[in-house]
Amino acid sequence: MKADQRGARSEIVVDAELVNWMLVRDIDPFDHAKVRVRLAGQILKDRLGRFADRSWIITSPVRSRRHLIAAGAVVRTHGSTYRLLRRSDREDLELD
């Protein structure tokens, strides 16, 4: 939840859910010293209508703190907010 201008709490609007997700680490193409963390997974309930259910996506870089990325959490990327459901049994990806 986040506070509005009056200090009252408002509900976080989730844009979609991710299932069978894993972390994807890669190098920022504009700053080779910076490692980005993104998520790959199957999208569900995309309220913005961008993707069909169960489509595989890779998100833009995650803005949420790394230790908060876990099943059941809500995470933010550059332009979307995702609820993370079941994590994949596959290993996380390292892209060079």
Side-chain angles (χ1 to χ4, degrees), residues 70-90:
V74 174
V75 297
R76 292 189 55 206
T77 64
H78 178 70
S80 300
T81 303
Y82 298 96
R83 181 177 317 282
L84 302 180
L85 302 180
R86 186 184 72 244
R87 187 176 175 126
S88 175
D89 293 333
R90 298 178 185 177

Side-chain angles (χ1 to χ4, degrees), residues 38-91:
R38 302 188 292 161
L39 297 167
Q42 290 178 290
I43 195 163
L44 299 171
K45 301 177 185 174
D46 181 16
R47 73 176 187 87
L48 303 175
R50 301 166 294 183
F51 306 100
D53 274 0
R54 299 281 178 186
S55 295
W56 282 92
I57 66 163
I58 298 178
T59 68
S60 56
V62 175
R63 299 173 98 182
S64 301
R65 294 181 185 228
R66 173 100 188 272
H67 71 278
L68 298 177
I69 302 172
V74 174
V75 297
R76 292 189 55 206
T77 64
H78 178 70
S80 300
T81 303
Y82 298 96
R83 181 177 317 282
L84 302 180
L85 302 180
R86 186 184 72 244
R87 187 176 175 126
S88 175
D89 293 333
R90 298 178 185 177
E91 290 187 28

Side-chain angles (χ1 to χ4, degrees), residues 12-46:
I12 294 173
V13 176
V14 174
D15 297 317
E17 298 174 337
L18 282 181
V19 67
N20 297 323
W21 58 271
M22 64 194 84
L23 297 177
V24 177
R25 289 180 200 84
D26 64 2
I27 304 299
D28 186 320
F30 302 104
D31 182 354
H32 295 283
K34 184 177 180 183
V35 175
R36 302 183 302 180
V37 175
R38 302 188 292 161
L39 297 167
Q42 290 178 290
I43 195 163
L44 299 171
K45 301 177 185 174
D46 181 16

Side-chain angles (χ1 to χ4, degrees), residues 2-10:
K2 54 185 175 180
D4 65 15
Q5 292 177 350
R6 294 168 287 149
R9 297 280 183 180
S10 60

